[in-house]
Amino acid sequence: MTIIYFLILLSMIIVIHEAGHLLAAKKFGVYCYEFAFGMGPLIWQKKGKETKYSIRAIPIGGYVSMAGEQDGDDLNPDVQVPAGRRLTDKPWWQKIIIMLAGVTMNFLLAWVIFSLSMLAVGGWRAPAKAVVNEVVAGSPAEAAGFMPGDRIVRVTKEDGSSIEPDTYVDMQAFSAGYSGVETYIVERDGEQIELEVTPRYSEEDDAYLIGIVGTSGELVPVTLLNCWYYGAAEMGMIAKLLFTTLAGLLHGHGLSNLSGPVGIYQATETYAAMGFMSFMLLVAQLSLNVGIFNLLPLPVLDGGQIVITLAETIVGRKLNDRIKTGLMLACWVVLIGFMLFVTWQDIARLFG
């Protein structure tokens, strides 16, 4: 049953992303050859006014094929694309809207799910402030001198990167997967104190922890009127977590916490066992992650295509095809290598 949930999860996120591209492309008159659910051999197809709607054999993801999206894709003798209907014929701002439409749909899906989940629960718990409520006995934090009531002002790693956390979420995202010495500046009785602590690995939590516990955030009542606001607040908190994680990756921190398809499959099994709402929250989190990831300025992603479009508009000519192809190939090599790395990590964790 888990495999079915896993396929539903991936397909829902990718198909709604591609549907965003399709709707925006049609809005601006771009000719779309096909909109497909799934990949691989064709199972079923129905021709609309001009677009073919397909179901393919491998039920993972989907795609939309637009005229002018790739060089030579409009040479099909069976299709005569009317003049001005190719993506390359459109003004730069329309191209960018079409490219942004996919991630916009991912964000919209996440927002709706988060909002309705807040409504179903009847409340939203605000993130706890970065104040120590409890120090675990025998922990590195106790040895370092942390005390209940300490307000965490700044956390600095050995490489000099630092954060001034407002909430525990900020601090957890910054320190996730880090095992080196951290320097904490805490405010105690109006005085700032410097404390050095080295996280200790916890097998139970599968994480490096220092041993401090925060207060519970305020529980805010949620209604049909305000659930959309708190759904956006939850999205913003998770997005902030992700951006902090991405910033850590640039410094080489947090690589051990990344997961690929195997990890997502395991998460699917866990969340699906917890019930429908938990599964939908996983869909929302991954949809948000996919949207943000697609905004990275890599040539094979929407963000990279936007950067290329803006660069071509500014210089007044197309980027050299050989350079563009080289960038795309290099990017694919990096992404495939990255996927192999996180998959290996998932398998290593699976077998201990």
Side-chain angles (χ1 to χ4, degrees), residues 188-248:
R188 182 187 302 166
D189 299 327
E191 181 184 357
Q192 290 196 352
I193 302 170
E194 183 177 299
L195 304 171
E196 281 194 355
V197 60
T198 302
R200 181 188 300 158
Y201 181 73
S202 167
E203 291 188 3
E204 181 181 350
D205 298 288
D206 189 25
Y208 287 93
L209 305 174
I210 66 170
I212 57 175
V213 180
T215 57
S216 295
E218 179 189 1
L219 184 62
V220 182
V222 171
T223 67
L224 182 61
L225 292 178
N226 67 11
C227 70
W228 311 106
Y229 169 81
Y230 290 112
E234 186 74 8
M235 266 186 68
M237 187 173 66
I238 295 174
K240 188 176 182 180
L241 231 168
L242 180 59
F243 281 122
T244 304
T245 302
L246 289 173

